[in-house]
Amino acid sequence: MGILLGILGVICLGYYAACVRYAGVRVSMLWIWPAAGIGFWVLAAAGQFECFREMVRQIPPELRLTAGVFVLLAVTAFLVLTGLVLSAMRMQGEKGLDVLVILGCQVKGRVPSRALLGRLQTAEKYLKQNPETLAILSGGQGYGEEITEAACMRQWLESHGIADNRLILEEQSTSTAENLIFCLKILKKREAGKCWKVGIVTNHFHMYRSLKIAEKKGYGDVCGLSAPGGSVLVPHYILREAVAVLKERICGNI
C-alpha cells in the first residue's frame, strides 16, 4: 500500500508540474494536485511506522466502518458527477439557431486564453455556416484583464470576418450563472415572448453545467456547441467541473 500511495503522490505532483508549464499557476483550483501528492506521500511515510499502525488498530471498528462508508459514498458521488460532465462533452448543436450565447473565459491582457480561443473558433465556424444567427458575447472584466471578456470576443470575431451587427455584448457577468441570466434578459428585452432557439458555446468540460443552469433559468429551446479545451488541463477541468456541479446544485442553480 505504501508503494501505491507513493506512486500516486508522484503522479499528482508530476501532473501539477505539467499543468504549470502549460498554463501557469493561476489556473483555478490547481493547488489540489500538489496537496493530494503531498497527502499521499505523508500517508505512505506514516504507514512505515509501527506507532501509526498501532494507532489505526486502536480506532473502534464502528468508527472505521463509518469512515469507510463515508469515503465510499464520497467516491461514488464524485464518479457520478464526473460521468455527468463527460456525458455532455460531445454536443455539436444544430443548424439554423437564432442566437449563440458564447460564454466568457479568461482574457490575458487583451488576448483570449487557450480555453476562450477554442470557444471563439467554434463560434466563428458556426456563424459563417449560419449567416442569420446572432451571437451574444458574455463576460465581464476580471483580474489581469485589460478589457472585458465580451469586448475581447468581439474584437477577435470581427477580425475573423464576423459582422459587428451580428454581435451583442453582455459585459457585467462574473460567473456562468450570471452569464446565462443576463443573456436571457437581453433576449427577452430584444423580443418579448419569442421562443429563441439558443446554442450555448463553451468548452466541452463546461457544457453539462452550462446547459443545466440554462434549463433552470428558463431557456426553452437550448442546445450545446462543445469547443475544445486545453489538452493538458482537461483532467483537471473535469475534476473541477464535478465539484462545480455539486456547488451549483447546492446553490439552486441546477
Side-chain angles (χ1 to χ4, degrees):
M1 179 60 73
I3 294 175
L4 176 61
L5 291 172
I7 292 172
L8 289 173
V10 171
I11 291 172
C12 288
L13 291 170
Y15 180 65
Y16 172 73
C19 290
V20 170
R21 181 178 178 84
Y22 180 79
V25 296
R26 287 178 51 199
V27 177
S28 174
M29 285 183 65
L30 196 59
W31 56 267
I32 196 169
W33 297 102
I38 293 170
F40 284 132
W41 278 358
V42 168
L43 289 174
Q48 303 304 309
F49 294 97
E50 179 59 33
C51 60
F52 177 81
R53 293 196 292 269
E54 181 61 28
M55 183 177 65
V56 172
R57 287 192 289 267
Q58 294 301 317
I59 298 175
E62 297 82 1
L63 185 57
R64 278 187 283 176
L65 177 61
T66 300
V69 171
F70 176 80
V71 171
L72 179 61
L73 290 174
V75 170
T76 301
F78 174 74
L79 291 176
V80 170
L81 291 170
T82 301
L84 293 174
V85 172
L86 293 171
S87 70
M89 288 180 66
R90 294 182 178 274
M91 292 189 172
Q92 296 301 314
E94 58 187 67
K95 295 181 180 180
L97 295 170
D98 296 318
V99 62
L100 297 183
V101 171
I102 309 173
L103 302 184
C105 191
Q106 183 185 20
V107 171
K108 297 183 177 181
R110 304 177 70 89
V111 179
S113 61
R114 286 187 178 96
L116 182 55
L117 183 60
R119 302 180 191 190
L120 291 170
Q121 290 170 337
T122 299
E124 175 203 1
K125 180 179 179 180
Y126 186 91
L127 291 170
K128 287 181 176 178
Q129 293 174 345
N130 297 268
E132 300 301 316
T133 303
L134 303 175
I136 302 180
L137 318 178
S138 179
Q141 185 173 354
Y143 177 80
E145 298 176 338
E146 297 178 12
I147 55 176
T148 64
E149 293 164 6
C152 176
M153 287 190 278
R154 178 175 64 182
Q155 290 180 4
W156 193 95
L157 287 169
E158 286 181 346
S159 71
H160 287 75
I162 307 300
D164 178 67
N165 61 5
R166 300 176 66 191
L167 306 177
I168 305 164
L169 269 66
E170 183 288 296
E171 300 183 277
Q172 304 303 315
S173 56
T174 59
S175 67
T176 301
E178 287 185 356
N179 286 149
L180 294 164
I181 291 169
F182 296 163
C183 288
L184 185 57
K185 288 181 179 179
I186 289 174
L187 292 176
K188 289 181 176 179
K189 185 176 180 180
R190 191 176 182 90
E191 190 170 342
K194 177 176 178 177
C195 183
W196 293 85
K197 294 175 64 178
V198 180
I200 296 176
V201 181
T202 189
N203 301 105
H204 49 32
F205 53 79
H206 188 229
M207 184 57 70
Y208 177 82
R209 178 160 60 105
S210 301
L211 284 175
K212 288 302 178 182
I213 293 174
E215 292 169 5
K216 181 74 172 183
K217 299 305 179 183
Y219 284 76
D221 192 351
V222 62
C223 62
L225 279 79
S226 296
S231 55
V232 174
L233 289 168
V234 167
H236 172 70
Y237 285 146
I238 291 173
L239 182 149
R240 192 179 70 180
E241 278 300 304
V243 175
V245 169
L246 178 61
K247 176 185 174 183
E248 298 287 9
R249 180 67 177 174
I250 293 172
C251 293
N253 290 324
I254 293 178

